[in-house]
Amino acid sequence: MVSQILGPIACVSSLAYMMLGIPMQIRENYKRKSTEGLKLFMIITLLFTTISWVVYSWVTKNWFIFIANVPGAVCALIILIQFKIYRKRG
């Protein structure tokens, strides 16, 4: 009973972060053409963490965790690509 209530709440709160906070950072990076101020290690950690949860949720068939983490993995991957595109040459 509790998991039927907490699952959707956790999923929605995670989605809010993954679909509002991180895309705003992607947009800001794009506008500035820079990833200055971001730590590469943190983005790699975010990508590894979200991919780990996606794999775990796929294996255990926990769709709340899956749905909440796929957008985060995609966004972390986009930011990693931005690191490559906007790195300083010199």
Side-chain angles (χ1 to χ4, degrees):
M1 175 68 178
V2 173
S3 66
Q4 292 175 340
I5 295 169
L6 291 179
I9 290 171
C11 185
V12 167
S13 65
S14 291
L15 278 172
Y17 171 70
M18 297 296 184
M19 296 308 296
L20 295 174
I22 297 176
M24 288 172 55
Q25 182 64 58
I26 292 169
R27 183 173 175 231
E28 186 66 24
N29 295 345
Y30 177 76
K31 284 171 49 178
R32 292 182 300 140
K33 303 294 187 223
S34 171
T35 55
E36 185 178 342
L38 295 178
K39 302 292 182 203
L40 180 60
F41 177 77
M42 293 302 295
I43 302 304
I44 291 170
T45 303
L46 174 63
L47 180 62
F48 178 75
T49 301
T50 53
I51 287 175
S52 296
W53 278 113
V54 166
V55 171
Y56 169 79
S57 63
W58 184 267
V59 169
T60 62
K61 306 292 188 239
N62 187 325
W63 304 118
F64 291 124
I65 295 173
F66 183 84
I67 290 167
N69 283 280
V70 167
V74 171
C75 288
L77 185 59
I78 291 169
I79 293 175
L80 278 178
I81 292 168
Q82 287 180 325
F83 264 96
K84 181 165 177 60
I85 292 171
Y86 302 138
R87 71 177 175 219
K88 298 209 184 220
R89 299 182 191 337

